[in-house]
Amino acid sequence: MGMEQKGKIIISEEEIQGKVRELAGQISKDYEGLNPIIITVLRGAVYFMVDLTRYLTIPHRIDFLAISSYGPAAQTGGVRITKDLDLDIHDEHVLILEDIVDTGLTLHYLLRILKERGPASIKICTFLDRAAQRIADLHIDYRGFEVGEAFVVGYGLDRDEKFRNLQYIMAVEE
Amino acid sequence: MAVITVSRLFGSGGEFVAEILSQATGFLLLNKKTLHKYIGEHDLPQMRLDWINEISPRSVDGLEKERVEYVNTLRDTITDLSRNRHVILLGRGGQFLFMGSKEAVHIKIVASLEARSANIQKRFNVDKATALRLINEKDAEREAYTYYFHRGDWNNPEIYDLTINTTRISLGEAAELILNFLKQRKIISRKKFEKILDKLEEAAKEKEKIAVSFERAADSSLRGKPKKFANKSEEEFARILDYYQIKYLYEPTTFPLKWDSEGNIESAFTPDFYFPDFDLYIELTTMKQELVTKKNRKVRELKRIYPDVNIKLFYRKDYKKLLEKFGIDPEENID
């Protein structure tokens, strides 16, 4: 399959890089001397993490986490961690990176699990925010762009596992 | 025969007092419902019938002829009905329609703001702020109604023969006071009085229960709480919430939205899901977009009456996206 999906670029590569630099600057300032652990939720946020951390000017560590998603074949037992952290976050300053937060259901679960491990602090940074669809009441500390209703792909976001590698954000035709 | 007019402050229980009296005496009760029926026979346009709900028009320009016609029709109809029986007229500016009439007795039921607020809270299952807002709104509506149609000030104490304060008097006691007054006026004979008193106690017991019970005040059809989910979409949504271990309650609250002049709930809204952790209600509207206008209106009304309530509408397209995100075929799971 090629990259034939039609759509409209809503956030350009330049805008993305500008915003990521801006976020990294803010995070570097806020986490000065704290040596945070940057946790990336697999898989979409990987692209964001790679760019963001390259602009950070403070020492930090990275780790990854994956959780199961609801779906047609979802297990009845409910959500679970499919790839856990390697680092111990107890007494550490934690920053969670997400590609997009919409309903907030996944993140709500994640926050609950991670808070039980006793981190010194825990904050959220999302590249895209679709607040109109929010159900879980979450505080987003760092936000790249607000997006509306359109289905978006690129910069880590996929449609049927495609288009993650686009360097811009595209609203696809439905 | 006599026309007993009963005016009442919203939440004072005046409509129940009138009902108790009517049940005990057998006098014809004229309220919104019965007046609709009798005046409806006069073949007036729909707008005039709406006025019976004690609502004055927003813009009065060019309506003077209709106003006069409405007032005359109202007076004529009630006069006709009272030709061979006593009638009890609830509201509608009766104290002005029959001001100075030898046949008429004017009664007003009042109560302290605190007591009215407590009554409304119990009856409609709302908080204090909402109760106070409703009281303000309804009182203003009635004041505007009597002023527009009858050019009268309903707060003037001199226009009533008897004013009863139900702050510390029960609805039954209030009805009994009126009954005694009617006996003195010889509208009720001494012979019949004792019999009526027995009936009054019975009627009072029943009405006093209804006056403070939300379950009874609300139309049962508006409060039907299905134990099961209403449709496949809600069921699927609940499964997603369970999966992510989100606490929710299904249809836990019914919000009354519209009351008629007697304080009956005319319209209410029960959002599908409530999230206690987020203090948020969600309504799933998976119907076709063109059918959601009515629901939108209800949600707007809910937000107006209950500005502190958080409610979010999930439209068909939002829900479709949510399902798509989880790899579920929306076509099979939306109904």
Side-chain angles (χ1 to χ4, degrees), chain A residues 82-139:
Chain A
T82 53
K83 191 251 165 252
D84 206 342
L85 298 172
D86 293 322
L87 299 173
D88 180 6
I89 61 167
H90 186 73
D91 274 347
E92 301 282 357
H93 293 277
V94 169
L95 180 65
I96 302 175
L97 293 194
E98 274 279 17
D99 49 355
I100 185 165
V101 180
D102 41 39
T103 60
L105 295 181
T106 315
L107 201 50
H108 179 260
Y109 167 76
L110 209 61
L111 276 174
R112 220 185 64 215
I113 298 294
L114 295 182
K115 275 179 185 165
E116 282 168 10
R117 300 182 185 183
S121 74
I122 189 158
K123 284 188 180 180
I124 300 166
C125 173
T126 184
F127 176 62
L128 299 180
D129 185 10
R130 197 179 346 243
Q133 281 193 4
R134 190 85 80 249
I135 296 172
D137 184 22
L138 299 168
H139 178 72

Side-chain angles (χ1 to χ4, degrees), chain B residues 22 35 80 84 86 94 118 145 189 212 225 242 246 249 297:
Chain B
S22 165
L35 278 172
D80 266 1
N84 35 29
H86 300 305
Y145 175 87
S189 70
V212 294
K225 270 192 195 167
D242 284 338
I246 305 284
L249 297 166
R297 205 178 305 135

